[in-house]
Every structure is written in C-alpha cells, then in structure tokens.
Amino acid sequence: MLINHTLERLKKMRLSGMAEAYEAQLKQNDINSLSFEERFSLLVDYEWTLRQDRRLQRLLKKAKFRIPACPEDIDYRHPRGLDKSVMLRLVDCHWIQSHQNVIITGPTGVGKTYLACALGNAACRKGYSTRYFRVPRLLTDLKMSKGDGTYSKLLHQLLKLDLLILDDWGLTPLSADEGREILEVIEDRNHLSSTIIVSQLPIKHWHEILGDPTVADAILDRLVHNAH
C-alpha cells in the first residue's frame, strides 16, 4: 500500500519519470545492493532525462522545420565549398548566445535548406526556441495577421524566438511594403536574438530584391555585419 501511495503521489506531482524509474527498480532483484543515495540519484536522473527529451520534442515540433535534418548527417564530402570546421563551430550554437546571424547562400540543389534545418536542430538540442519560415509564407502570415488583428501578437512571437530561420530569401523581388514588413521583424530582433538567412542570391545582389534602397540598407546593416 505504501508503494502504491508513493507512486500515486509522484504522478500527481507530475514526476512520472521518477514513478516509472521507481517501478522499474522494484522489479530488480539486486536493487537493494545500492545505497539510498544511489537509488535516489537514478530516479532523479531518469526524471531529468525524460523532461529534457520532452522539451526537445516540443521545441522541434514548434520549429516546423522543412526537413528533419541533423548535424551528424551533414555530408562534407559533397563538393560545395562547405568548411567542416566552420560548421562544427556553428553547431555549438555559441553564435546564438551572442545574438549573431548565419547567412547561407548558393545555387539550387546544394543543400542550403538542409544545413539551415540542421543548425536549427542543433539549436533546439541546446534549448533555444526556433522557428522555420519560407519568406513568402512569413509575408503571407504577416499580411493575414493585419487583417484579423493579430499582427502585434505575431511580431511578439517572432521577437521572442531565440532563432528565426528565413528560407527562400530573395526568391522573388519584394515590394516596398514587403521590404518594410521584413525590416520590422529584423529590427525587433536586432542584437536580441539570431537569424539564419538562406538564399540563392549572393549578398551583393540583395539590394536588387529588397525594394526601397533605404529599407534594403537597414536590413543588410542589421543582418550582415554580425553574421557568419
């Protein structure tokens, strides 16, 4: 009865990991060879691991990555000019802690989106909130939010993200209004969080697709100067 009472209270306190580990210990014939401290440490470790795994799964789900990419699966043998030492440093995610950015450019088919999602996966593993957007979809969501009165809420959600991934940057030229929308997002996050930009266009051509030259200058100033 005491065991059942303990298990019930652990579950009510949302310590389901400890409850599972405790039940498993009760089925081990040699568990009494361990000291109380050792057994208790195993219970805590199991609960901690379970919670960390659940948190990671929540972060990955909210990130909505286009590709389920992992840093370990990056192919460095592909002849695309990818520096493994640079990628390994980026996977450490210290650049996110420093509120820096990453820019990935190159032609279609070299795996830019995969690399961005792999870095996003690494960020989630480190506990950073992350969200993937294609730029056209983000612009659509911003436009719709203005219509239904949730614009400020969406901007706040984007601001609170540790890492924002913007894919298909410059796929089509932006109107002046769209350029200002992107600037609004970038400006809110400047020096507070990190952004990954994925584009087919080299940075030197970004002015051509960002509409208003003044807005383009402001966007590039906030993205490029502290970017890897």
Side-chain angles (χ1 to χ4, degrees):
M1 290 297 293
L2 180 60
I3 292 174
N4 291 335
H5 179 71
T6 300
L7 290 171
E8 182 181 346
R9 288 202 165 181
L10 284 172
K11 292 174 182 178
K12 285 185 177 180
M13 291 188 292
R14 298 182 179 180
L15 296 172
S16 58
M18 292 186 72
E20 290 177 19
Y22 183 42
E23 287 183 292
Q25 284 188 5
L26 295 173
K27 297 176 183 178
Q28 298 176 24
N29 295 327
D30 59 346
I31 193 65
N32 289 325
S33 64
L34 300 179
S35 67
F36 170 80
E37 289 78 10
E38 289 171 326
R39 291 185 62 178
F40 186 68
S41 177
L42 290 173
L43 298 180
V44 173
D45 285 348
Y46 190 89
E47 177 69 34
W48 173 264
T49 300
L50 186 65
R51 291 194 178 204
Q52 292 298 104
D53 184 64
R54 286 174 177 170
R55 186 186 183 202
L56 173 59
Q57 295 308 315
R58 287 195 301 270
L59 289 171
L60 291 172
K61 184 178 180 179
K62 290 181 179 180
K64 298 184 178 182
F65 295 126
R66 188 174 179 178
I67 299 173
C70 297
E72 297 83 3
D73 295 333
I74 296 174
D75 184 3
Y76 295 100
R77 296 169 298 178
H78 192 286
R80 53 186 168 181
L82 189 62
D83 189 326
K84 184 175 182 179
S85 64
V86 171
M87 286 302 300
L88 292 177
R89 288 200 302 272
L90 294 177
V91 167
D92 283 341
C93 296
H94 294 307
W95 56 279
I96 299 178
Q97 186 177 352
S98 301
H99 310 313
Q100 298 171 347
N101 304 315
V102 169
I103 297 174
I104 304 174
T105 62
T108 301
V110 296
K112 299 185 300 297
T113 297
Y114 189 95
L115 293 178
C117 291
L119 289 177
N121 180 286
C124 289
R125 294 182 191 183
K126 296 287 187 180
Y128 292 114
S129 58
T130 305
R131 182 73 160 85
Y132 170 95
F133 277 101
R134 293 180 60 251
V135 171
R137 176 57 187 271
L138 175 59
L139 289 170
T140 298
D141 287 356
L142 289 168
K143 183 177 180 180
M144 291 178 62
S145 69
K146 284 188 173 181
D148 61 21
T150 60
Y151 181 71
S152 295
K153 180 180 179 181
L154 177 55
L155 286 181
H156 182 70
Q157 291 172 346
L158 295 172
L159 169 62
K160 300 299 287 184
L161 291 170
D162 296 312
L163 175 61
L164 175 63
I165 301 175
L166 297 179
D167 199 357
D168 288 336
W169 178 274
L171 192 62
T172 57
L174 303 183
S175 68
D177 287 342
E178 289 173 334
R180 284 190 287 271
E181 293 287 0
I182 293 296
L183 176 59
E184 190 75 21
V185 174
I186 299 300
E187 172 62 27
D188 281 352
R189 298 171 49 78
N190 191 35
H191 298 307
L192 298 174
S193 47
S194 296
T195 304
I196 294 179
I197 301 293
V198 184
S199 178
Q200 295 180 28
L201 293 177
I203 296 172
K204 63 182 180 180
H205 294 306
W206 285 9
H207 267 89
E208 302 167 15
I209 56 93
L210 289 175
D212 187 317
T214 303
V215 171
D217 283 341
I219 292 174
L220 266 65
D221 179 67
R222 287 154 180 77
L223 286 177
V224 176
H225 295 307
N226 66 338
H228 297 270

